[in-house]
Amino acid sequence: MTTIDLGLPLPAAPVRRRPTRQLRVGSVPIGGGAPVPVQTMTTTLTADVDATLQQIAAVTAAGCDIIRVAVPSADDAEALPRIVARSPIPVIADIHFQPRYVFAAIDAGCAGVRVNPGNIKKFDDKVGEIAKAAAAAGVPIRIGVNAGSLDPRLLAKHGKATPEALVESALWEASLFEEHGFTDVKIAVKHHDPLTMIAANRLLAAQCDYPLHLGVTEAGPAFQGAIKSAVAFGVLLAEGIGDTIRVSLSTDPVEQVKAGCHILSSLGLRPRKLEIVSCPGCGRLQVDIHKLANQVEAAFDGFPHPLRIAVMGCVVNGPGESREADLGVSCGNGKGQIFVRGRVVKTVREAQIVEALVEEALRVVEEGEQS
């Protein structure tokens, strides 16, 4: 990918990441100052190998770094070796209820295993065996705790899934592995309420140095869920807490990945891709800015170069914002002034704006490659 200087302002000070131990999920390092990877989970039946691999390919193209697949049945467990062998990114097996699938996932070559001790039958007396098998294969374990499957003993003690209950559960479960000398552990404490999730991760970060996976579980539909996740992640990541993320939306996993990448890039924790700056609209507009912004977004969907494009609807903020961007358009009177790096290069009719922006974007990229 061509690196193009956007002239974007740098954060006032880099985020100081919380010091943690580091582990590796296949080729991806987690914690210890490594970049924050984006994860998601397939929605296909894992036993349907072709469909699962197609979805993995789609999320990989969107920027996903690690994929998790559900393993609720023997058929799913039997499919893991074929999925692992053909997946372009590391595969984590998500295990509930049956500890025998943990061993199947390790034997299949999965890069990691997620366990939820709150609902795995006979978990306590299997920890030693799981730790031994995982250590021998170099496979990290993710301990996942959430409100929906909190250990019944702790739920009874605390009355509900409080931050304290979530943290106590996670640390107790980690201690079971520690008793067997296994510390290649990543922890996730999730809740559907962002404030509870934030409080739980702050408590957890203060009490251990394990890498933390962030997630607002069952965040909701795309709009609501993305906002809840962005709020929670933004607070924690700005405090240096969080080593990997998943945006849990009721949407296609590709959209989850895109949301995660945007959240990280907005915080300066991931290289920016194409960014569209557009005005919200007001009574001064002489163009349907919402329609135009959507048309520009669609035209540049998948564009691999990190340009900033301003789509502005009037002469008040339009020229200034357009000059600040790599490319821009300031609209009025049925026309659009096209800016490139702060300079007006042409004026086109409203119907030609999208075409002109694409044309100039390709020119900027070509000039960048030749310089």
Side-chain angles (χ1 to χ4, degrees):
M1 179 186 297
T2 302
T3 300
I4 299 173
D5 181 12
L6 302 181
L8 297 175
L10 296 174
V15 173
R16 292 189 61 185
R17 302 281 299 283
R18 162 181 165 265
T20 74
R21 63 188 72 190
Q22 187 175 95
L23 55 79
R24 298 188 73 86
V25 176
S27 59
V28 180
I30 294 178
V36 179
V38 173
Q39 303 186 26
T40 191
M41 192 170 181
T42 55
T43 57
T44 57
L45 290 175
T46 303
D48 188 340
V49 173
D50 288 340
T52 300
L53 286 168
Q54 287 175 7
Q55 197 167 76
I56 292 174
V59 298
T60 302
C64 188
D65 301 296
I66 298 170
I67 190 68
R68 183 157 45 106
V69 299
V71 189
S73 72
D75 288 342
D76 298 316
E78 290 173 6
L80 288 175
R82 287 173 288 162
I83 292 170
V84 169
R86 295 166 59 189
S87 174
I89 55 177
V91 176
I92 294 177
D94 189 81
I95 311 295
H96 294 267
F97 307 118
Q98 295 294 342
R100 69 176 183 271
Y101 297 149
V102 175
F103 302 107
I106 293 172
D107 290 342
C110 288
V113 175
R114 184 268 179 128
V115 297
N116 191 326
N119 61 19
I120 287 189
K121 299 174 182 177
K122 298 182 179 179
F123 174 79
D124 295 5
D125 59 5
K126 292 289 185 181
V127 171
E129 295 177 48
I130 292 173
K132 182 178 179 181
V139 173
I141 298 290
R142 173 183 146 193
I143 294 173
V145 179
N146 58 49
S149 52
L150 185 65
D151 188 292
R153 293 165 289 191
L154 291 171
L155 190 59
K157 175 182 175 181
H158 291 272
K160 61 179 181 178
T162 63
E164 293 77 11
L166 295 170
V167 170
E168 184 176 345
S169 178
L171 292 178
W172 169 70
E173 290 150 11
S175 74
L176 298 179
F177 284 97
E178 291 169 357
E179 290 175 1
H180 297 278
F182 187 87
T183 58
D184 207 5
V185 167
K186 175 178 57 174
I187 297 179
V189 287
K190 296 186 176 184
H191 199 280
H192 64 269
D193 174 58
L195 295 179
T196 301
M197 179 269 198
I198 290 169
N201 278 278
R202 282 172 170 165
L203 283 174
L204 186 58
Q207 296 181 49
C208 74
D209 68 347
Y210 286 116
L212 302 185
H213 171 79
L214 301 184
V216 177
T217 191
E218 293 98 29
F223 179 77
Q224 174 180 291
I227 290 175
K228 289 166 67 174
S229 298
V231 167
F233 294 176
V235 168
L236 291 169
L237 290 168
E239 295 176 3
I241 298 171
D243 303 285
T244 176
I245 66 168
R246 182 203 175 185
V247 182
S248 299
L249 308 177
S250 299
T251 63
D252 187 304
V254 168
E255 299 306 313
Q256 300 177 23
V257 171
K258 289 180 179 178
C261 291
H262 278 297
I263 290 170
L264 292 179
S265 64
S266 295
L267 292 165
L269 294 172
R270 194 178 182 99
R272 290 178 183 264
K273 294 187 178 181
L274 182 123
E275 178 184 6
I276 295 176
V277 177
S278 59
C279 62
C282 70
R284 295 188 299 266
L285 292 182
Q286 297 178 334
V287 65
D288 186 342
I289 196 66
H290 302 152
K291 178 181 178 181
L292 179 59
N294 287 333
Q295 289 174 336
V296 173
E297 183 178 38
F300 283 90
D301 184 40
F303 193 77
H305 304 282
L307 297 176
R308 172 183 275 177
I309 302 175
V311 181
M312 307 301 294
C314 78
V315 297
V316 175
N317 293 323
E321 288 288 354
S322 296
R323 281 192 294 266
E324 289 293 318
D326 292 284
L327 302 174
V329 59
S330 180
C331 303
N333 295 320
K335 299 179 181 179
Q337 281 189 322
I338 305 298
F339 289 75
V340 176
R341 300 290 174 83
R343 183 172 59 88
V344 177
V345 296
K346 65 176 73 171
T347 299
V348 299
R349 290 184 294 107
E350 187 176 312
Q352 298 174 310
I353 287 173
V354 176
E355 180 184 351
L357 287 173
V358 171
E359 180 180 297
E360 294 303 326
L362 294 173
R363 183 174 291 118
V364 167
V365 170
E366 183 179 358
E367 291 173 354
E369 290 175 340
Q370 293 175 354
S371 62

